[in-house]
Amino acid sequence: MLSLHQLTCFLATYEHGSLTAAAEELGYAQPSVSEQIRALEKSLGVQLFRRVGRGVVPTTVADSLRPHAERVLAAVDEARRAVQSVKSFETGTIRFGMFGIARLYAGAGLIADVLARYPGVRVELIGQNSIEVAEDLRRGRLEAAMLAVSTVASEGLTITPVAREELVFVSADPTRLASPVTARRLSQASLAMPETTFRAQDSTRQTLRQMLHETGRNPHTRIEVEDIETAVELVGMGYADTVIPKGAAAQLLPRLAPGAGWVSLRPRQYDTFAIVHRTGATLSPAARLMIELATRRIQDIAEPIAPRGGATVEA
């Protein structure tokens, strides 16, 4: 019966043309390598090498065996690496990039999904805004992330849209919610907006600026804050209105602004969420797991985007 040990000795001997050199490379005694070659020849019923001087020359049968032996050993090595990767994965740290709104939608649930499968891992969700997370991807600090794609330059990155979320106008004044908000009405609104540090690159603000382009005005932000929760609370207190993703409104208003409501913009506007990683990167099992689970979580809340061809998204 063939053994991996025999094939290892065979390939070393084939490469070096010498039993002694093969033994030195493998760290074996020369008689041990000779014994493995003889056992392999006996098992196959063929001669693999002919002695010539102090070396050996492969036969045509050895030439035929070589590529098969290489594939077998390569497959075994790949299997060993895969097992070690999973072993370290189950007890190591999983890091995944997520901007603020995505974390609001899926953060705790995503971590719970991971820990349900791998109780021994340590989980890190990284990032506040898509711009900074994209920079971490480019620098190799993260393998993969979920981002708002309107703010991310594609250079060096592979971007796969997986869902889109409608942006809605939120107010505590029922008269402002009687009909969809047009660009003209939005230009006259007094807004409390989150993401003030990243206001120039924030995907929601970029969308609103584009919507208001025809009016010649920018959105009027009366109040600037960092987090979306504070913006919603201020709306509930009646100090301003805001524009946020619909899923965030559905989650936050009952808790932080129960007297407020929301209405669509006209025309409807959307944020697009995507899985992003460096182009050409070989993703680890941990990264593939996070992509799968994050995509599933976000598509449960936002409107799924099927990949080209209409197939269901599979990470």
Side-chain angles (χ1 to χ4, degrees), residues 297-315:
R297 279 276 171 183
I298 216 74
Q299 289 184 337
D300 284 344
I301 297 170
E303 178 185 341
I305 296 176
R308 292 179 182 177
T312 302
V313 170
E314 295 287 349

Side-chain angles (χ1 to χ4, degrees), residues 10 28 45 60 74 80 93 108 116 133 140 147 186 198 215 217 235 252 257 265 268 281 300-301 311 313:
F10 162 73
Y28 301 151
T60 54
R80 185 180 295 111
T93 296
V133 177
L147 306 179
L186 183 62
F198 299 95
T215 70
R217 296 183 61 182
V235 171
L252 296 177
L265 301 174
R268 293 176 186 267
D300 284 344
I301 297 170
V313 170

Side-chain angles (χ1 to χ4, degrees), residues 2-305:
L2 297 180
S3 73
L4 297 177
H5 189 33
Q6 290 170 356
L7 293 178
T8 300
C9 291
F10 162 73
L11 286 176
T13 303
Y14 187 102
E15 180 180 348
H16 291 287
S18 165
L19 292 167
T20 301
E24 289 178 355
E25 178 190 305
L26 298 173
Y28 301 151
Q30 191 268 351
S32 176
V33 174
S34 297
E35 181 181 350
Q36 292 302 316
I37 297 297
R38 285 195 299 270
L40 180 59
E41 289 177 328
K42 183 177 180 180
S43 177
L44 295 173
V46 296
Q47 182 181 5
L48 295 173
F49 297 100
R50 294 190 303 274
R51 288 190 173 274
V52 177
R54 294 185 177 181
V56 293
V57 175
T59 64
T60 54
V61 176
D63 291 334
S64 299
L65 176 61
R66 177 191 175 188
H68 298 286
E70 289 175 335
R71 282 197 292 272
V72 168
L73 292 179
V76 170
D77 188 51
E78 183 177 351
R80 185 180 295 111
R81 288 197 306 271
V83 170
Q84 290 301 316
S85 176
V86 171
K87 182 179 178 182
S88 62
F89 168 33
E90 291 178 344
T91 58
T93 296
I94 299 177
R95 303 178 79 241
F96 188 71
M98 268 191 144
F99 70 109
I101 290 294
R103 279 204 323 279
L104 175 66
Y105 289 179
L110 175 59
I111 292 174
D113 290 342
V114 174
L115 295 181
R117 294 195 187 191
Y118 301 101
V121 302
R122 179 173 177 271
V123 184
E124 294 183 5
L125 288 185
I126 309 297
Q128 295 290 332
N129 181 275
S130 292
I131 295 298
E132 63 176 2
V133 177
E135 185 61 23
D136 282 344
L137 285 169
R138 289 192 176 92
R139 292 173 179 255
R141 296 169 183 159
L142 292 169
E143 281 192 87
M146 177 168 286
L147 306 179
V149 296
S150 62
T151 62
V152 177
S154 61
E155 183 179 358
L157 298 175
T158 295
I159 299 174
T160 306
V162 295
R164 70 173 190 169
E165 179 74 313
E166 183 183 357
L167 297 175
V168 294
F169 180 84
V170 181
S171 178
D173 184 345
T175 64
R176 299 173 191 168
L177 306 175
S179 62
V181 175
T182 63
R184 181 176 181 81
R185 283 180 56 200
L186 183 62
S187 71
Q188 297 169 348
S190 180
L191 301 176
M193 294 297 293
E195 300 284 355
T196 186
T197 295
F198 299 95
R199 69 182 75 177
Q201 298 91 9
D202 175 53
S203 60
T204 296
R205 298 186 197 224
Q206 286 187 353
T207 300
L208 297 185
R209 284 194 290 268
Q210 187 173 9
M211 179 182 176
L212 295 186
H213 179 71
E214 64 185 54
T215 70
R217 296 183 61 182
N218 284 322
H220 174 59
T221 54
R222 180 186 181 192
I223 304 170
E224 292 280 350
V225 295
E226 291 290 0
D227 59 278
I228 193 170
E229 289 88 350
T230 301
V232 170
E233 282 190 272
L234 289 165
V235 171
M237 295 175 184
Y239 288 112
D241 302 321
T242 192
V243 176
I244 59 176
K246 186 176 180 179
Q251 287 194 39
L252 296 177
L253 263 62
R255 176 165 54 92
L256 301 177
W262 72 82
V263 69
S264 295
L265 301 174
R266 180 181 290 165
R268 293 176 186 267
Q269 304 294 322
Y270 296 88
D271 260 349
T272 299
F273 305 145
I275 294 296
V276 184
H277 59 79
R278 280 176 295 159
T279 300
T282 300
L283 298 176
S284 69
R288 293 196 297 271
L289 172 70
M290 295 301 284
I291 287 172
E292 173 196 343
L293 296 179
T295 298
R296 187 179 303 162
R297 279 276 171 183
I298 216 74
Q299 289 184 337
D300 284 344
I301 297 170
E303 178 185 341
I305 296 176

